[in-house]
Amino acid sequence: MSNSGGKDWRTALKVAISANLGWGFELFDLVVYLYVATTISPLFFPSSSKIASLLLFLLTIVIGYFARPLGGIFFGHYGDKIGRKRIWFVSLLGMGIATTLIGFLPTYNQAGILATLLLILLRILQGFFLAGEWGGGMTLVNEFSPSNLRGLMSGIQQGGAALGLIFAVIASEIASSLAPGAAFTKYGWRIMFWFGIIPLIIALTVRWKVGESIEWLTKVADKPEKIPIATVLKKWWKLVIIAAVVLFSSGSIYYGIIAYMPTFFELYTHLSIYEIDNIVLATNLIWLFLSPLTGYLSDVLKMRKILIAIIGFVIGILIYPIINSLYTGSYILSILVGMLVGFLFAFQYSIFPAWLSENITTNVRYSYIAFSINLGVALSSFAPYIVTALGLIFHNPVLGIAIFDISASILGGIAALLSPQDKVGMQLS
């Protein structure tokens, strides 16, 4: 095994679990928005057409996500200058407040255009705070991890995204029970946003106990970069482009297939809410439990970029039959296909934090990761809107999703191959 670099794996595990819970809550905040898209889009974007309301609603995802690169610059700047822990904590708290407030918003019928504007404002705040959470988690987990276990710890952290959808399933079941039928449209959707307070409190409690990064304290604290993002863009602009493209590819698969599942099933199949919840649950349980294993595999094989590229190409090949199978509306088949999607996505997604962290120096790591990944994912936020629109244009929702996501998968695989040589097992620079 490679040298651990003198770092304790138990401490690293605690940080990874904290990152997992925080990332799970953050993704819950965003995914729950897609989960109730068909229900509440007419409440904030009334139209004679349900699809027109949905498309306008999906555009608010794009607006919120384009706050993420700005958030990445802000939180990355202070994370590199004054330390990781405090900034990481603030980002999680801010995200939680913004999400909870969505559950209290008046609808268009109650407040007119003000309701729509308030929704958009809170979406922007969500995107802004989310940027600091994800980038901070990736940075801290890898700076705490032994050199030979960065893939494993990264996989634990990244599994939090699956946990976010599992939270959403639980919230959906609770809300549907407390507000069945028409009551869900009236107030049940609000319960889903309020439910986020529970995982938020848990995540904040765990995170408060996390210490500061030793890497940052010993290498950066006394001489931080004046403007970290400026250094990143001057010295590592090629890396920024590569990382952004790879994350755009991954985000397109996530938002075009996994997070889009509830909306897709409600629009194009006759599956019940209960069946949809179970399909989403099966997909994300596989992802949650396999993510650490696939991350660890990249440690054992001592390669990251090749694995990212290979899985990207495999996903591209399988996208059309996957979506076609989901479109049949078969409950059992959808569960099996969902589990396959969860496995493939976990395999690639789990490797990202270690791959990103090993390619950059400690003095600008937070800024590089937060900006690059959030730029890529901001671009991928068009996915739900684009795949819905393409489905209408081609009169074929399967083809609409396939065209977009196949292109994104191939592009991401090529970009990964262009990244620097892997530094698996080496000390962070």
Side-chain angles (χ1 to χ4, degrees):
M1 295 179 69
S2 302
N3 181 11
S4 68
K7 296 178 181 177
D8 178 29
W9 69 267
R10 296 174 185 83
T11 302
L13 181 61
K14 292 177 183 177
V15 177
I17 291 173
S18 173
N20 175 285
L21 291 171
W23 187 218
F25 171 70
E26 300 285 81
L27 257 294
F28 164 81
D29 290 353
L30 294 169
V31 171
V32 73
Y33 194 76
L34 274 174
Y35 225 95
V36 297
T38 56
T39 299
I40 71 173
S41 53
L43 301 180
F44 291 92
F45 298 92
S47 170
S48 58
S49 167
K50 184 178 180 179
I51 290 292
S53 294
L54 178 61
L55 287 173
L56 289 171
F57 185 80
L58 293 176
L59 276 180
T60 64
I61 295 177
V62 175
I63 294 171
Y65 268 55
F66 270 86
R68 287 179 64 166
L70 297 177
I73 293 173
F74 176 85
F75 287 105
H77 177 84
Y78 288 103
D80 282 328
K81 288 184 74 70
I82 68 174
R84 320 307 200 191
K85 176 184 174 177
R86 285 174 289 179
I87 296 300
W88 199 34
F89 187 88
V90 168
S91 64
L92 180 59
L93 180 61
M95 182 70 169
I97 293 172
T99 299
T100 304
L101 288 176
I102 290 179
F104 289 98
L105 286 179
T107 63
Y108 190 91
N109 286 339
Q110 295 169 326
I113 192 65
L114 178 62
T116 305
L117 294 176
L118 287 173
L119 176 66
I120 292 172
L121 174 62
L122 290 176
R123 287 294 303 163
I124 291 172
L125 289 175
Q126 277 188 316
F128 183 80
F129 285 109
L130 178 72
E133 159 60 32
W134 194 20
M138 286 189 176
T139 303
L140 263 174
V141 167
N142 279 278
E143 289 182 351
F144 268 97
S145 296
S147 302
N148 60 324
L149 296 177
R150 282 196 287 260
L152 171 63
M153 299 302 170
S154 294
I156 293 172
Q157 181 221 345
Q158 291 290 79
L163 192 63
L165 268 162
I166 293 170
F167 285 156
V169 170
I170 296 171
S172 174
E173 288 297 313
I174 292 174
S176 297
S177 299
L178 296 175
F184 188 84
T185 302
K186 291 182 179 179
Y187 63 88
W189 63 272
R190 297 181 185 276
I191 296 173
M192 293 190 67
F193 287 97
W194 297 336
F195 175 84
I197 295 174
I198 298 172
L200 171 65
I201 292 173
I202 296 172
L204 286 173
T205 301
V206 174
R207 181 153 303 178
W208 186 254
K209 300 176 182 178
V210 173
E212 184 55 84
S213 162
I214 299 300
E215 288 281 338
W216 182 83
L217 286 172
T218 57
K219 297 180 180 178
V220 182
D222 294 333
K223 48 182 184 304
E225 291 289 320
K226 185 176 181 180
I227 306 177
I229 190 62
T231 302
V232 170
L233 295 177
K234 180 180 180 181
K235 293 185 177 181
W236 290 284
W237 61 270
K238 291 181 181 178
L239 270 181
V240 170
I241 294 174
I242 289 171
V245 171
V246 171
L247 268 294
F248 161 76
S249 171
S250 175
S252 297
I253 303 301
Y254 179 75
Y255 291 107
I257 299 178
I258 298 178
Y260 188 64
M261 271 185 181
T263 303
F264 177 85
F265 284 132
E266 287 190 40
L267 284 176
Y268 303 117
T269 74
H270 297 290
L271 292 168
S272 69
I273 293 296
Y274 173 78
E275 290 173 326
I276 293 172
D277 283 347
N278 285 338
I279 295 167
V280 174
L281 187 62
T283 301
N284 288 278
L285 282 173
I286 288 292
W287 177 3
L288 176 65
F289 290 111
L290 285 184
S291 188
L293 298 178
T294 55
Y296 183 59
L297 183 61
S298 72
D299 287 326
V300 174
L301 297 179
K302 297 188 181 302
M303 63 172 68
R304 308 217 199 270
K305 73 174 191 176
I306 298 298
L307 289 176
I308 291 172
I310 290 173
I311 297 300
F313 294 139
V314 170
I315 291 174
I317 293 170
L318 294 178
I319 279 175
Y320 187 84
I322 283 173
I323 301 303
N324 202 42
S325 298
L326 296 176
Y327 187 67
T328 64
S330 166
Y331 177 47
I332 300 301
L333 181 59
S334 293
I335 285 181
L336 294 175
V337 171
M339 292 170 69
L340 173 62
V341 172
F343 165 72
L344 291 173
F345 196 81
F347 206 130
Q348 186 187 67
Y349 193 75
S350 63
I351 305 173
F352 288 152
W355 171 69
L356 290 163
S357 296
E358 291 166 347
N359 285 333
I360 200 73
T361 57
T362 303
N363 61 327
V364 294
R365 183 170 292 117
Y366 200 147
S367 293
Y368 161 69
I369 292 178
F371 177 70
S372 300
I373 63 176
N374 285 292
L375 176 61
V377 176
L379 294 172
S380 75
S381 67
F382 283 101
Y385 180 88
I386 291 175
V387 297
T388 301
L390 287 175
L392 292 173
I393 292 171
F394 294 116
H395 303 289
N396 186 332
V398 175
L399 186 60
I401 295 175
I403 288 175
F404 181 76
D405 282 341
I406 289 173
S407 302
S409 297
I410 294 172
L411 185 63
I414 293 172
L417 293 176
L418 297 175
S419 64
Q421 183 177 352
D422 287 321
K423 301 178 181 67
V424 183
M426 298 173 61
Q427 300 299 311
L428 295 175
S429 59

